[in-house]
Amino acid sequence: MGQGMGAIHLSEVRCSGQEPSLWKCPHRNITAEDCSHSQDAGVRCNLPYTGVETKIRLSGGRSRHEGRVEVQTGGPGSLRWGLICGDDWGTLEAMVACRQLGLGYANHGLQETWYWDSGNITEVVMSGVHCTGTELSLDQCAHHGTHVACKRTGSHFTAGVICSETASDLLLHSALVQETAYIEDRPLHMLYCAAEENCLASSARSANWPYGHRRLLRFSSQIHNLGRADFRPKAGRHSWVWHECHGHYHSMDIFTHYDILTPNGTKVAEGHKASFCLEDTECQEDVSKRYECANFGEQGITVGCWDLYRHDIDCQWIDITDVKPGNYILQVVINPNFEVAESDFTNNAMKCNCKYDGHRIWVHNCHIGDAFSEEANRRFERYPGQTSNQII
């Protein structure tokens, strides 16, 4: 399952099986010499049988892992199979469908399935499906109920999935963000490329170019792939967009969101990072690099490797020129639009406390969005930020 990262808290855990949490089991507190991440504990859980897999099936695909989604609706004596409207069907909905089918993780969620034969099932029986990604079956997701409303009619515009037994899982190194954060007043004449790629606040458009400067909160991002499959851009090389100013290709429209929020959740500054170069910067000892951006190379992050965006490269910042002194939350979300499927989206968001006095900034308490208990989160701040890629 790969190695973890960050602090190791427990060693020699001995449970009877009756304890309410691992902390209640006899254990020894960890010291730096005791354990390495090669010894991280793991579990494989078994869900109780609920029979939900009997109410869903795939049809028309080239293998049992792909096809048009068909679901069973109705009560005793009136059961029938039907299709799902493709409107707004995406990665999260596909994740739930693949989980319900027992086929692992979603690789793609498809809104059009014209290339798959529909067979004799043509009726659409479910629409408006909206999932958080954690449900066990599509029935548990929000949907229109018995009232079916589809913008595009016909069996070719129905939901489909491609499932996979493995998936990537990205995780941001939160401690590095805290260690590398600083403020830079950067002259406007050095920011033309950044402005062209929309990396500055909207007020920069009315600035007196090329005179003056923008105040930038800069930090490094080190993004690890801890999953069981490589993280690859959704788009192939043929559709990557060349940006002349910086001289590179963009393989994803948005790879990360950077936000400064007030304690009550109001956004006061934002930034974004297009994945102009997804590559293996470094890897674990026994893993070889596979992706490199040079010479129009393949982009991605190999399992066991990480991609490092240094604090001193363009757009690796938030423009805080218009932010007033005060206490804030720094929030970073990876893969925010679910463009690429992952096994777990709950660890894609990181947040930190920030104190800004108008001249300096103190970034502290950085952690992955779901790292704290609910009680600890309430002590951390009034606004919980994003505990995953989901807006709360």
Side-chain angles (χ1 to χ4, degrees):
M1 297 181 182
Q3 299 184 12
M5 59 183 291
I8 301 174
H9 297 289
L10 299 177
S11 179
E12 299 181 17
V13 181
R14 306 285 183 185
C15 301
S16 68
Q18 306 300 316
E19 295 86 354
S21 79
L22 289 173
W23 289 103
K24 301 296 184 182
C25 300
H27 63 271
R28 190 161 61 87
N29 290 329
I30 206 77
T31 63
E33 299 78 23
D34 283 335
C35 249
S36 67
H37 282 297
S38 63
Q39 298 169 276
D40 288 342
V43 296
R44 188 180 299 278
C45 301
N46 182 37
L47 293 173
Y49 177 75
T50 60
V52 293
E53 70 275 12
T54 64
K55 298 181 179 180
I56 187 172
R57 67 189 185 190
L58 300 181
S59 68
R62 298 163 297 180
S63 72
R64 72 184 191 93
H65 286 87
E66 66 174 43
R68 185 179 284 104
V69 180
E70 297 179 0
V71 291
Q72 192 179 62
T73 60
S78 62
L79 293 174
R80 71 188 194 278
W81 288 93
L83 305 172
I84 300 176
C85 178
D87 294 348
D88 301 321
W89 180 268
T91 301
L92 296 180
E93 291 71 34
M95 284 178 66
V96 177
C98 292
R99 183 180 299 124
Q100 185 177 353
L101 286 158
L103 297 178
Y105 308 105
N107 202 338
H108 293 290
L110 307 168
Q111 297 183 0
E112 298 182 15
T113 51
W114 49 268
Y115 36 81
W116 286 330
D117 178 27
S118 62
N120 59 352
I121 304 295
T122 58
E123 182 186 6
V124 175
V125 297
M126 183 180 285
S127 64
V129 180
H130 179 73
C131 304
T132 65
T134 60
E135 297 88 348
L136 298 180
S137 72
L138 292 174
D139 283 340
Q140 297 175 358
C141 301
H143 57 87
H144 289 158
T146 56
H147 174 68
V148 175
C150 229
K151 297 174 185 175
R152 299 180 297 175
T153 59
S155 60
H156 294 330
F157 299 107
T158 54
V161 295
I162 300 175
C163 302
S164 174
E165 294 182 359
T166 59
S168 60
D169 184 21
L170 298 187
L171 183 68
L172 179 69
H173 190 347
S174 57
L176 186 65
V177 174
Q178 183 169 313
E179 293 165 6
T180 57
Y182 65 96
I183 285 176
E184 178 192 10
D185 288 337
R186 194 163 183 81
L188 282 173
H189 69 83
M190 301 175 69
L191 292 171
Y192 280 104
C193 283
E196 182 181 302
E197 296 195 7
N198 200 29
C199 295
L200 301 175
S202 57
S203 62
R205 299 190 193 102
S206 57
N208 185 26
W209 293 79
Y211 309 104
H213 68 272
R214 303 298 293 182
R215 176 157 291 184
L216 309 174
L217 170 58
R218 308 193 73 143
F219 51 88
S220 296
S221 293
Q222 185 172 298
I223 299 168
H224 293 243
N225 182 1
L226 302 182
R228 297 174 59 205
D230 295 353
F231 184 91
R232 299 295 310 281
K234 184 177 181 179
R237 279 194 290 185
H238 64 281
S239 59
W240 294 356
V241 179
W242 174 256
H243 282 250
E244 183 67 34
C245 197
H246 278 132
H248 56 238
Y249 284 94
H250 284 194
S251 59
M252 291 173 64
D253 290 336
I254 301 292
F255 181 53
T256 50
H257 275 169
Y258 306 144
D259 298 314
I260 296 291
L261 311 168
T262 63
N264 67 3
T266 303
K267 188 184 297 185
V268 294
E270 63 181 342
H272 75 273
K273 188 79 174 170
S275 65
F276 63 75
C277 178
L278 279 176
E279 66 177 6
D280 298 326
T281 308
E282 295 290 342
C283 299
Q284 297 170 7
E285 288 184 9
D286 56 342
V287 180
S288 299
K289 298 179 183 179
R290 296 183 59 187
Y291 303 106
E292 187 175 4
C293 298
N295 302 317
F296 195 37
E298 290 286 355
Q299 293 193 22
I301 307 176
T302 305
V303 176
C305 299
W306 55 90
D307 189 6
L308 175 63
Y309 289 94
R310 285 174 49 92
H311 57 82
D312 54 357
I313 65 175
D314 255 10
C315 297
Q316 186 58 41
W317 64 55
I318 302 177
D319 184 349
I320 62 169
T321 306
D322 307 318
V323 176
K324 298 178 181 178
N327 294 317
Y328 297 98
I329 302 163
L330 166 62
Q331 181 171 269
V332 178
V333 186
I334 311 168
N335 192 15
N337 298 335
F338 315 109
E339 284 192 46
V340 178
E342 299 183 48
S343 59
D344 183 10
F345 286 114
T346 63
N347 57 8
N348 282 35
M350 183 224 69
K351 54 184 178 176
C352 312
N353 278 127
C354 294
K355 185 176 181 63
Y356 176 50
D357 65 3
H359 305 282
R360 297 161 299 176
I361 196 161
W362 179 38
V363 177
H364 62 104
N365 214 359
C366 294
H367 64 282
I368 300 303
D370 64 346
F372 289 170
S373 68
E374 197 172 324
E375 180 183 356
N377 244 344
R378 284 196 294 268
R379 293 198 302 268
F380 175 76
E381 61 208 9
R382 293 198 303 276
Y383 173 69
Q386 287 183 217
T387 56
S388 68
N389 294 38
Q390 311 262 325
I391 295 290
I392 295 178

